[in-house]
Amino acid sequence: MLPQRPTTTDDLARLIAEAARDKTQVRIQGSASMPLARFDPSRPIRDISTLRMNKILDHAVSDMTVTVQAGISLEALQRELAWHNQWLPIDPPALCIDGRSPMRRTLAGLIATNSLGPLRAMDAGANDWRRLLLGMRWIDASGTLIKGGGRTMKNVAGYHTPRLMIGAAGTLAAIAELTLRTSPRPEDESALTFFCPSAAAANALLAAIRLAPVTPAYLQLCPRHTFSGNPLQLPAPPRDGLALTAGFLDRPASCAAQINAIRQLPEAAASESISHTAAPAGRLRLWMTSEPAPAPPHASFRAHMLPTQVCDFLQKLDRVKGTWLIAEAATATIRGHAPVPDLQRLLPPAAALLLADHSTPPPSLYAPIKQALDPAAIFGTL
Protein backbone atom coordinates (compact mmCIF):
# COMPACT_ATOMS: atom_id res chain seq x y z
CA MET A 1 0.00 0.00 0.00
CA LEU A 2 1.40 3.40 -1.02
CA PRO A 3 2.11 5.89 1.79
CA GLN A 4 -0.15 8.89 2.25
CA ARG A 5 1.46 12.13 1.11
CA PRO A 6 0.27 15.28 2.93
CA THR A 7 1.31 18.67 1.55
CA THR A 8 0.66 20.88 4.59
CA THR A 9 1.18 20.74 8.33
CA ASP A 10 -2.60 20.65 8.88
CA ASP A 11 -2.90 17.61 6.57
CA LEU A 12 -0.18 15.82 8.50
CA ALA A 13 -1.83 16.62 11.84
CA ARG A 14 -5.18 15.30 10.54
CA LEU A 15 -3.67 11.99 9.40
CA ILE A 16 -1.91 11.43 12.71
CA ALA A 17 -5.07 12.32 14.67
CA GLU A 18 -6.98 9.71 12.64
CA ALA A 19 -4.32 7.10 13.35
CA ALA A 20 -4.39 7.93 17.06
CA ARG A 21 -8.17 7.45 17.18
CA ASP A 22 -7.82 4.10 15.39
CA LYS A 23 -4.87 3.09 17.61
CA THR A 24 -2.81 2.60 14.44
CA GLN A 25 0.96 2.96 14.37
CA VAL A 26 2.36 5.76 12.20
CA ARG A 27 5.56 5.35 10.20
CA ILE A 28 6.84 8.72 8.96
CA GLN A 29 9.01 8.42 5.86
CA GLY A 30 11.20 10.93 4.09
CA SER A 31 13.96 9.64 1.82
CA ALA A 32 13.95 6.35 3.82
CA SER A 33 17.76 6.29 3.80
CA MET A 34 18.14 5.55 7.54
CA PRO A 35 15.05 3.79 8.94
CA LEU A 36 15.86 3.41 12.64
CA ALA A 37 12.45 3.15 14.37
CA ARG A 38 10.98 -0.27 15.19
CA PHE A 39 7.28 -1.16 14.97
CA ASP A 40 5.09 -3.89 16.42
CA PRO A 41 4.26 -6.25 13.51
CA SER A 42 1.06 -7.35 15.24
CA ARG A 43 -0.45 -3.86 15.04
CA PRO A 44 -1.54 -2.05 11.85
CA ILE A 45 0.87 0.55 10.45
CA ARG A 46 -0.04 3.68 8.50
CA ASP A 47 2.78 4.94 6.26
CA ILE A 48 2.99 8.71 5.77
CA SER A 49 5.52 10.31 3.43
CA THR A 50 6.65 13.91 3.90
CA LEU A 51 8.21 14.22 0.43
CA ARG A 52 5.46 16.60 -0.75
CA MET A 53 6.03 18.83 2.28
CA ASN A 54 9.07 20.27 0.55
CA LYS A 55 8.64 24.05 0.49
CA ILE A 56 10.74 26.90 1.84
CA LEU A 57 8.27 28.88 3.96
CA ASP A 58 10.48 31.84 4.80
CA HIS A 59 14.07 32.91 4.24
CA ALA A 60 15.18 35.93 6.26
CA VAL A 61 18.34 36.59 4.27
CA SER A 62 19.63 39.44 6.43
CA ASP A 63 18.93 37.53 9.66
CA MET A 64 20.45 34.36 8.18
CA THR A 65 17.55 32.11 9.15
CA VAL A 66 15.35 29.88 7.01
CA THR A 67 12.04 28.12 7.75
CA VAL A 68 11.24 24.99 5.74
CA GLN A 69 8.81 22.10 5.64
CA ALA A 70 10.07 18.80 7.00
CA GLY A 71 10.28 16.98 3.67
CA ILE A 72 12.58 19.35 1.80
CA SER A 73 15.84 17.72 0.78
CA LEU A 74 19.21 19.07 1.80
CA GLU A 75 20.09 19.38 -1.89
CA ALA A 76 17.06 21.58 -2.66
CA LEU A 77 17.68 23.80 0.36
CA GLN A 78 21.39 24.25 -0.39
CA ARG A 79 20.58 25.16 -3.99
CA GLU A 80 18.14 27.88 -2.88
CA LEU A 81 20.46 29.26 -0.19
CA ALA A 82 23.32 29.48 -2.71
CA TRP A 83 21.42 32.21 -4.59
CA HIS A 84 21.98 34.39 -1.51
CA ASN A 85 25.57 33.25 -0.89
CA GLN A 86 24.51 31.20 2.14
CA TRP A 87 24.44 27.51 3.03
CA LEU A 88 23.68 25.05 5.78
CA PRO A 89 27.15 23.87 6.90
CA ILE A 90 26.48 20.14 7.16
CA ASP A 91 27.45 17.11 5.07
CA PRO A 92 25.50 14.22 6.58
CA PRO A 93 26.39 10.56 6.17
CA ALA A 94 24.03 8.09 4.50
CA LEU A 95 24.17 4.49 3.36
CA CYS A 96 24.87 4.30 -0.38
CA ILE A 97 21.71 2.42 -1.38
CA ASP A 98 20.93 2.33 -5.13
CA GLY A 99 23.36 5.19 -5.69
CA ARG A 100 21.34 7.52 -3.45
CA SER A 101 23.16 10.71 -2.51
CA PRO A 102 23.22 11.89 1.12
CA MET A 103 22.20 15.31 -0.27
CA ARG A 104 18.76 13.87 -1.08
CA ARG A 105 17.95 13.16 2.55
CA THR A 106 15.19 15.29 4.06
CA LEU A 107 15.89 17.90 6.72
CA ALA A 108 13.54 16.26 9.22
CA GLY A 109 15.22 12.90 8.62
CA LEU A 110 18.64 14.40 9.22
CA ILE A 111 17.52 15.85 12.54
CA ALA A 112 15.62 12.71 13.57
CA THR A 113 18.75 10.60 13.06
CA ASN A 114 21.12 13.31 14.35
CA SER A 115 23.10 13.01 11.14
CA LEU A 116 26.11 15.30 10.90
CA GLY A 117 29.26 14.79 8.90
CA PRO A 118 32.82 16.07 9.22
CA LEU A 119 31.74 19.73 9.21
CA ARG A 120 30.24 19.41 12.70
CA ALA A 121 33.70 20.39 14.00
CA MET A 122 33.67 23.65 12.03
CA ASP A 123 33.55 26.84 14.13
CA ALA A 124 34.36 24.91 17.31
CA GLY A 125 31.32 22.68 17.08
CA ALA A 126 28.83 25.40 16.10
CA ASN A 127 27.39 23.10 13.42
CA ASP A 128 25.80 20.75 15.90
CA TRP A 129 22.04 20.41 15.30
CA ARG A 130 21.41 21.81 18.77
CA ARG A 131 22.86 25.12 17.60
CA LEU A 132 21.61 25.08 14.03
CA LEU A 133 18.00 24.36 15.06
CA LEU A 134 16.24 27.53 16.20
CA GLY A 135 12.60 26.46 16.15
CA MET A 136 10.25 23.64 15.19
CA ARG A 137 6.59 22.75 14.72
CA TRP A 138 5.72 19.11 15.31
CA ILE A 139 2.69 16.83 15.69
CA ASP A 140 2.40 14.81 18.88
CA ALA A 141 0.87 11.34 19.28
CA SER A 142 -2.65 12.75 19.62
CA GLY A 143 -2.44 14.78 16.41
CA THR A 144 -1.93 18.11 18.20
CA LEU A 145 0.30 20.72 16.58
CA ILE A 146 2.98 22.03 18.95
CA LYS A 147 5.52 24.83 18.48
CA GLY A 148 8.89 25.30 20.18
CA GLY A 149 11.68 27.82 19.76
CA GLY A 150 11.43 30.66 17.24
CA ARG A 151 13.25 32.53 14.47
CA THR A 152 15.98 34.26 16.46
CA MET A 153 19.04 33.02 18.33
CA LYS A 154 17.76 34.02 21.81
CA ASN A 155 14.17 32.82 21.79
CA VAL A 156 13.96 30.25 24.59
CA ALA A 157 13.44 30.88 28.29
CA GLY A 158 13.83 27.44 29.82
CA TYR A 159 14.12 24.05 28.13
CA HIS A 160 14.51 24.05 24.34
CA THR A 161 11.90 21.36 23.65
CA PRO A 162 12.69 20.91 19.91
CA ARG A 163 16.01 19.38 20.93
CA LEU A 164 14.10 16.34 22.17
CA MET A 165 13.51 15.43 18.52
CA ILE A 166 17.21 15.39 17.63
CA GLY A 167 18.28 11.77 17.34
CA ALA A 168 14.88 10.38 18.41
CA ALA A 169 14.41 8.68 15.01
CA GLY A 170 10.88 10.07 14.74
CA THR A 171 9.65 7.99 17.69
CA LEU A 172 8.49 10.93 19.84
CA ALA A 173 6.57 13.03 17.29
CA ALA A 174 6.26 13.92 13.62
CA ILE A 175 8.37 16.91 12.61
CA ALA A 176 6.42 19.31 10.36
CA GLU A 177 8.41 22.55 10.04
CA LEU A 178 11.93 23.67 10.94
CA THR A 179 13.65 27.01 11.45
CA LEU A 180 17.42 26.83 10.99
CA ARG A 181 20.41 29.12 11.25
CA THR A 182 22.36 29.52 8.01
CA SER A 183 25.98 30.57 7.40
CA PRO A 184 27.88 32.51 4.71
CA ARG A 185 29.16 30.25 1.95
CA PRO A 186 32.96 29.83 2.07
CA GLU A 187 34.92 31.18 -0.87
CA ASP A 188 37.23 28.19 -1.19
CA GLU A 189 37.94 24.67 0.06
CA SER A 190 41.37 23.08 0.36
CA ALA A 191 42.60 19.94 2.06
CA LEU A 192 45.84 18.25 3.02
CA THR A 193 46.17 14.47 3.41
CA PHE A 194 48.99 12.97 5.51
CA PHE A 195 49.95 9.31 5.18
CA CYS A 196 50.96 8.54 8.77
CA PRO A 197 53.11 5.38 9.17
CA SER A 198 51.63 4.44 12.56
CA ALA A 199 48.90 5.25 15.06
CA ALA A 200 51.48 6.95 17.27
CA ALA A 201 52.56 9.25 14.42
CA ALA A 202 48.93 10.11 13.66
CA ASN A 203 48.23 10.85 17.33
CA ALA A 204 51.24 13.16 17.56
CA LEU A 205 50.28 15.01 14.37
CA LEU A 206 46.68 15.43 15.51
CA ALA A 207 47.80 16.87 18.84
CA ALA A 208 50.12 19.30 17.05
CA ILE A 209 47.36 20.44 14.67
CA ARG A 210 45.01 21.11 17.59
CA LEU A 211 47.63 23.34 19.20
CA ALA A 212 48.66 25.08 15.97
CA PRO A 213 47.27 28.52 14.93
CA VAL A 214 44.94 26.94 12.36
CA THR A 215 41.17 26.32 12.24
CA PRO A 216 40.44 23.20 10.16
CA ALA A 217 36.80 22.73 9.17
CA TYR A 218 37.25 18.97 9.45
CA LEU A 219 39.83 16.37 10.49
CA GLN A 220 39.19 12.90 9.07
CA LEU A 221 41.08 9.67 9.76
CA CYS A 222 40.96 6.63 7.46
CA PRO A 223 42.82 3.35 7.95
CA ARG A 224 44.60 1.67 5.06
CA HIS A 225 41.89 -0.62 3.69
CA THR A 226 39.16 2.00 3.72
CA PHE A 227 41.30 4.74 2.20
CA SER A 228 42.36 2.47 -0.67
CA GLY A 229 38.85 3.01 -2.15
CA ASN A 230 39.11 6.81 -2.28
CA PRO A 231 37.70 8.48 -5.44
CA LEU A 232 40.93 10.40 -6.18
CA GLN A 233 42.91 7.15 -6.53
CA LEU A 234 45.40 8.35 -3.93
CA PRO A 235 47.90 5.81 -2.60
CA ALA A 236 46.97 3.99 0.59
CA PRO A 237 48.90 4.55 3.83
CA PRO A 238 51.55 1.98 4.78
CA ARG A 239 50.52 -1.17 6.64
CA ASP A 240 49.03 -0.26 10.03
CA GLY A 241 49.19 3.38 8.94
CA LEU A 242 46.43 6.00 8.80
CA ALA A 243 45.45 8.73 6.34
CA LEU A 244 44.75 12.02 8.10
CA THR A 245 42.93 14.69 6.06
CA ALA A 246 42.70 18.27 7.31
CA GLY A 247 40.23 20.42 5.37
CA PHE A 248 39.76 24.18 5.30
CA LEU A 249 36.82 26.32 4.18
CA ASP A 250 37.82 29.96 3.93
CA ARG A 251 39.29 32.51 1.52
CA PRO A 252 41.90 31.03 -0.86
CA ALA A 253 44.80 32.88 0.75
CA SER A 254 43.75 31.79 4.23
CA CYS A 255 43.39 28.14 3.19
CA ALA A 256 46.85 28.19 1.59
CA ALA A 257 48.44 29.83 4.64
CA GLN A 258 46.94 27.30 7.05
CA ILE A 259 47.99 24.32 4.94
CA ASN A 260 51.52 25.71 4.84
CA ALA A 261 51.46 26.18 8.63
CA ILE A 262 50.54 22.51 9.15
CA ARG A 263 53.25 21.35 6.77
CA GLN A 264 55.83 23.26 8.85
CA LEU A 265 54.93 21.38 12.04
CA PRO A 266 57.80 19.13 13.25
CA GLU A 267 55.33 16.25 13.68
CA ALA A 268 54.42 16.49 9.97
CA ALA A 269 57.96 15.61 8.88
CA ALA A 270 57.40 11.90 9.64
CA SER A 271 54.53 11.59 7.11
CA GLU A 272 54.21 12.14 3.37
CA SER A 273 51.44 14.52 2.33
CA ILE A 274 49.35 15.56 -0.69
CA SER A 275 47.36 18.81 -0.95
CA HIS A 276 44.00 19.08 -2.72
CA THR A 277 42.33 22.11 -4.29
CA ALA A 278 38.58 22.83 -4.13
CA ALA A 279 37.10 20.16 -6.43
CA PRO A 280 39.29 17.20 -5.30
CA ALA A 281 38.96 18.27 -1.65
CA GLY A 282 35.17 18.36 -1.95
CA ARG A 283 35.06 14.95 -3.64
CA LEU A 284 37.22 13.43 -0.91
CA ARG A 285 35.11 14.96 1.87
CA LEU A 286 31.84 13.75 0.36
CA TRP A 287 33.32 10.28 -0.16
CA MET A 288 34.28 10.16 3.51
CA THR A 289 30.74 11.26 4.34
CA SER A 290 28.95 8.47 2.43
CA GLU A 291 28.93 4.93 3.75
CA PRO A 292 28.58 1.71 1.75
CA ALA A 293 25.96 -0.79 2.88
CA PRO A 294 27.49 -3.50 5.09
CA ALA A 295 27.48 -7.18 4.14
CA PRO A 296 26.90 -9.87 6.80
CA PRO A 297 28.38 -10.59 9.28
CA HIS A 298 29.37 -6.92 9.45
CA ALA A 299 27.08 -4.39 11.17
CA SER A 300 26.92 -0.61 10.89
CA PHE A 301 28.06 1.14 14.05
CA ARG A 302 29.01 4.44 15.59
CA ALA A 303 31.51 4.66 18.43
CA HIS A 304 32.53 7.51 20.71
CA MET A 305 35.75 7.50 22.71
CA LEU A 306 38.59 9.66 23.98
CA PRO A 307 40.49 11.48 21.20
CA THR A 308 43.72 9.75 22.24
CA GLN A 309 42.11 6.31 21.71
CA VAL A 310 40.84 6.82 18.14
CA CYS A 311 44.04 6.11 16.18
CA ASP A 312 44.90 2.93 18.06
CA PHE A 313 41.32 1.63 17.75
CA LEU A 314 41.29 2.27 13.99
CA GLN A 315 44.64 0.54 13.53
CA LYS A 316 43.54 -2.60 15.39
CA LEU A 317 40.07 -2.84 13.83
CA ASP A 318 41.47 -2.32 10.32
CA ARG A 319 43.24 -5.68 10.66
CA VAL A 320 39.81 -7.38 10.68
CA LYS A 321 38.92 -8.43 7.13
CA GLY A 322 36.28 -6.42 5.29
CA THR A 323 35.93 -3.49 7.70
CA TRP A 324 35.06 0.03 6.54
CA LEU A 325 36.06 2.79 8.97
CA ILE A 326 36.01 6.60 9.06
CA ALA A 327 36.84 8.72 12.12
CA GLU A 328 35.99 12.36 12.73
CA ALA A 329 39.09 13.16 14.71
CA ALA A 330 37.85 16.51 16.00
CA THR A 331 34.90 14.89 17.78
CA ALA A 332 36.39 11.41 18.40
CA THR A 333 33.50 9.78 16.53
CA ILE A 334 34.04 6.63 14.45
CA ARG A 335 31.56 5.36 11.84
CA GLY A 336 31.69 2.23 9.78
CA HIS A 337 30.89 -1.45 9.72
CA ALA A 338 32.65 -4.44 11.27
CA PRO A 339 31.79 -7.75 12.96
CA VAL A 340 30.13 -7.08 16.33
CA PRO A 341 32.36 -9.52 18.31
CA ASP A 342 35.48 -7.70 17.06
CA LEU A 343 33.95 -4.32 17.91
CA GLN A 344 33.20 -5.41 21.45
CA ARG A 345 36.61 -7.03 21.87
CA LEU A 346 38.61 -4.02 20.67
CA LEU A 347 36.47 -1.20 22.09
CA PRO A 348 38.48 0.79 24.66
CA PRO A 349 37.22 1.16 28.25
CA ALA A 350 34.63 3.89 28.82
CA ALA A 351 33.85 4.09 25.08
CA ALA A 352 30.28 4.11 23.77
CA LEU A 353 29.09 1.81 20.97
CA LEU A 354 25.85 2.29 19.02
CA LEU A 355 24.72 -0.39 16.56
CA ALA A 356 22.23 0.34 13.78
CA ASP A 357 20.50 -3.04 14.20
CA HIS A 358 19.09 -2.09 17.64
CA SER A 359 21.16 -4.70 19.47
CA THR A 360 22.18 -1.98 21.93
CA PRO A 361 19.56 -0.55 24.31
CA PRO A 362 18.37 3.06 23.87
CA PRO A 363 19.67 5.71 26.31
CA SER A 364 18.27 5.45 29.84
CA LEU A 365 16.58 8.87 29.54
CA TYR A 366 14.62 7.80 26.47
CA ALA A 367 12.08 5.51 28.22
CA PRO A 368 10.45 8.11 30.53
CA ILE A 369 10.34 10.70 27.72
CA LYS A 370 8.75 8.15 25.38
CA GLN A 371 6.19 7.19 28.03
CA ALA A 372 5.26 10.84 28.57
CA LEU A 373 4.99 11.86 24.91
CA ASP A 374 3.83 8.67 23.18
CA PRO A 375 2.62 6.08 25.71
CA ALA A 376 0.76 4.06 23.03
CA ALA A 377 3.90 3.85 20.83
CA ILE A 378 2.07 5.39 17.88
CA PHE A 379 5.41 6.40 16.33
CA GLY A 380 7.24 3.14 17.07
CA THR A 381 10.22 2.76 19.39
CA LEU A 382 14.02 2.80 19.25
Side-chain angles (χ1 to χ4, degrees):
M1 185 175 179
L2 293 175
Q4 296 173 291
R5 297 177 180 269
T7 58
T8 67
T9 298
D10 291 340
D11 289 342
L12 179 60
R14 175 179 54 80
L15 293 174
I16 293 175
E18 291 175 358
R21 286 194 299 268
D22 299 338
K23 296 183 173 18
T24 301
Q25 297 178 106
V26 174
R27 180 162 49 205
I28 304 294
Q29 300 177 354
S31 62
S33 60
M34 280 193 174
L36 298 180
R38 292 184 294 178
F39 294 87
D40 184 351
S42 65
R43 296 172 55 192
I45 300 175
R46 173 179 290 195
D47 288 317
I48 299 177
S49 170
T50 61
L51 290 181
R52 288 183 180 171
M53 297 177 62
N54 56 10
K55 298 178 180 62
I56 295 177
L57 302 176
D58 179 67
H59 183 197
V61 178
S62 58
D63 292 337
M64 303 192 75
T65 65
V66 63
T67 301
V68 299
Q69 290 183 308
I72 191 171
S73 69
L74 178 60
E75 182 179 41
L77 178 58
Q78 298 286 41
R79 186 167 56 244
E80 176 62 26
L81 294 177
W83 286 102
H84 304 280
N85 202 31
Q86 295 179 11
W87 73 324
L88 199 63
I90 61 170
D91 45 2
L95 295 177
C96 296
I97 303 173
D98 300 328
R100 183 181 297 150
S101 166
M103 294 292 289
R104 296 188 180 180
R105 297 184 64 191
T106 64
L107 265 295
L110 294 174
I111 288 175
T113 55
N114 194 19
S115 295
L116 285 163
L119 293 183
R120 83 171 75 207
M122 189 175 171
D123 297 330
N127 296 333
D128 188 282
W129 278 122
R130 293 171 297 174
R131 300 190 185 186
L132 294 174
L133 180 64
L134 299 178
M136 179 188 293
R137 298 179 78 195
W138 68 91
I139 318 297
D140 71 3
S142 67
T144 303
L145 177 62
I146 302 174
K147 177 183 176 182
R151 298 191 180 188
T152 59
M153 291 299 296
K154 295 183 179 179
N155 54 49
V156 178
Y159 191 77
H160 195 352
T161 51
R163 291 181 179 176
L164 285 173
M165 308 303 159
I166 300 173
T171 63
L172 300 180
I175 299 172
E177 299 174 13
L178 302 160
T179 298
L180 303 163
R181 177 171 61 90
T182 64
S183 298
R185 285 184 65 84
E187 293 182 22
D188 190 36
E189 177 172 1
S190 297
L192 182 64
T193 298
F194 288 95
F195 302 98
C196 304
S198 65
N203 254 330
L205 183 54
L206 273 172
I209 291 175
R210 292 191 181 101
L211 294 175
V214 295
T215 54
Y218 54 92
L219 287 168
Q220 295 287 93
L221 278 165
C222 283
R224 174 183 175 84
H225 290 104
T226 300
F227 195 79
S228 62
N230 73 83
L232 305 183
Q233 298 183 336
L234 298 173
R239 180 177 175 81
D240 286 339
L242 299 171
L244 169 61
T245 299
F248 298 89
L249 294 166
D250 209 326
R251 297 184 302 275
S254 177
C255 289
Q258 293 186 82
I259 284 179
N260 184 60
I262 291 181
R263 276 200 161 128
Q264 301 305 315
L265 294 173
E267 292 81 1
S271 307
E272 296 183 7
S273 64
I274 297 178
S275 59
H276 319 290
T277 53
R283 286 183 63 198
L284 190 61
R285 172 170 53 84
L286 291 177
W287 170 75
M288 290 188 290
T289 296
S290 301
E291 179 179 334
H298 293 65
S300 291
F301 76 94
R302 188 171 67 187
H304 304 266
M305 58 192 66
L306 295 174
T308 53
Q309 298 173 328
V310 171
C311 295
D312 187 57
F313 179 72
L314 285 175
Q315 182 190 64
K316 292 178 180 177
L317 194 57
D318 187 53
R319 295 169 184 164
V320 178
K321 185 178 180 180
T323 56
W324 187 93
L325 305 165
I326 297 285
E328 298 167 18
T331 57
T333 301
I334 299 174
R335 307 182 284 110
H337 47 74
V340 176
D342 293 290
L343 284 171
Q344 295 171 333
R345 174 174 57 87
L346 297 174
L347 198 70
L353 176 64
L354 302 172
L355 298 171
D357 63 357
H358 302 287
S359 58
T360 53
S364 58
L365 288 177
Y366 171 77
I369 295 174
K370 177 67 175 177
Q371 180 63 30
L373 299 183
D374 184 17
I378 293 293
F379 295 109
T381 60
L382 286 178

